[in-house]
Amino acid sequence: ALFCLLLCVPWGSSCPPSCQCTERAGAKAVLCSSRHLEEIPKDIPKDAVFLKLDANSITRIPSNAFRHLSHLEELDLSRNAIEKIDRAAFKGVAAGLRTLDLSSNRIRSIPKEALLALNAKLRLANNPWHCECALQEVLWEARLDPDSVQDITCHTAPREEYVGKPLLQVLDAGVNFCSVRHRTTDVAMFIAMFGWFAMVIVYVICYVRHNREDTCRHVEYLKSLPSTQGRAE
């Protein structure tokens, strides 16, 4: 009887011990708010539609962290200590996810590949962002929550005058962080090419000088040999 009972229980319906699982509008909601979690639970039910992990101490979102949650629509990771987000952090939930809250964390930068595949509305406010090309591309191409866009502020930036200002305001002023990166890359390539060209020139000069010295020594050697006429006499 116990064996039959175990077979009848759906494996995806268990609930992590640190969370509370309820029904919300006929869909499963997994509530793990303020549970002192330091990482994302690995036993979240596969049929979860709403997942709240806010107000914890999570520091990283690893690759495939939510891959088994194919029904997930809303994900709240706000008010954590997240510093690193892997490129494939949201792989597997990109198609169905509608909202993703990453506000009030410690995120300075994020791989654009992690977010640009999402159709979800993003909340990225109140993070110590480093304003750079990748963040600019996210702002241009991702679906950001319009109510929180102004709170995406440059905590650090290539120039001091941008620090403390909303990223949207800086971009509206005509700043393009991606063009700065491209110019830096072009300069680096020019320096590398110049160094390579200089090495070739130095090699040619050394080669010619070495051959000239060998030629001079050979001529001097020939001059030191007794002539054929002298040997005949």
Side-chain angles (χ1 to χ4, degrees):
L2 179 59
F3 179 74
C4 294
L5 180 62
L6 290 175
L7 290 177
C8 294
V9 175
W11 290 102
S13 63
S14 60
C15 191
S18 55
C19 304
Q20 178 185 1
C21 297
T22 62
E23 294 290 328
R24 182 192 298 179
K28 176 160 290 186
V30 182
L31 311 178
C32 310
S33 306
S34 304
R35 299 301 176 103
H36 306 289
L37 299 175
E38 296 183 357
E39 60 182 17
I40 298 168
K42 301 184 184 302
D43 49 355
I44 298 172
K46 295 182 179 180
D47 56 346
V49 176
F50 307 99
L51 176 57
K52 290 184 65 64
L53 291 164
D54 56 303
N56 284 292
S57 301
I58 299 170
T59 59
R60 178 191 173 198
I61 306 178
S63 297
N64 302 312
F66 309 100
R67 189 171 186 174
H68 64 291
L69 304 178
S70 57
H71 300 283
L72 196 62
E73 296 181 5
E74 295 184 14
L75 176 57
D76 188 354
L77 288 160
S78 63
R79 296 184 296 152
N80 274 280
I82 298 171
E83 297 180 354
K84 180 176 176 56
I85 298 176
D86 291 355
R87 294 178 183 273
F90 304 105
K91 187 175 182 179
V93 297
L97 203 61
R98 295 185 305 176
T99 62
L100 172 59
D101 195 343
L102 291 168
S103 59
S104 301
N105 278 282
R106 300 176 184 174
I107 307 170
R108 297 188 71 251
S109 63
I110 187 170
K112 63 180 181 180
E113 296 84 358
L115 297 182
L116 295 183
L118 296 176
N119 294 319
K121 184 182 293 185
L122 300 174
R123 297 188 182 96
L124 303 175
N126 301 318
N127 281 286
W129 291 108
H130 174 65
C131 289
E132 58 180 350
C133 181
L135 181 59
Q136 176 179 317
E137 290 176 340
V138 168
L139 192 65
W140 280 349
E141 300 184 34
R143 292 185 56 216
L144 297 178
D145 183 357
D147 296 332
S148 64
V149 171
Q150 288 296 336
D151 294 324
I152 302 176
T153 304
C154 297
H155 184 76
T156 56
R159 297 176 60 175
E160 188 66 27
E161 60 188 276
Y162 306 144
V163 175
K165 293 183 178 180
L167 177 59
L168 191 61
Q169 178 183 334
V170 173
L171 297 179
D172 286 343
V175 177
N176 190 335
F177 295 107
C178 294
S179 66
V180 172
R181 185 182 69 176
H182 294 157
R183 285 199 300 270
T184 303
T185 303
D186 292 342
V187 171
M189 290 181 63
F190 175 78
I191 293 174
M193 291 179 65
F194 178 79
W196 179 84
F197 182 73
M199 289 177 62
V200 172
I201 295 298
V202 170
Y203 173 79
V204 171
I205 293 173
C206 292
Y207 180 79
V208 171
R209 181 178 297 175
H210 179 72
N211 284 352
R212 182 182 297 174
E213 291 174 354
D214 285 348
T215 302
C216 291
R217 285 195 297 268
H218 185 65
V219 171
E220 292 296 329
Y221 172 75
L222 292 177
K223 287 181 179 181
S224 67
L225 293 176
S227 62
T228 306
Q229 183 179 358
R231 289 198 302 271
E233 294 175 353

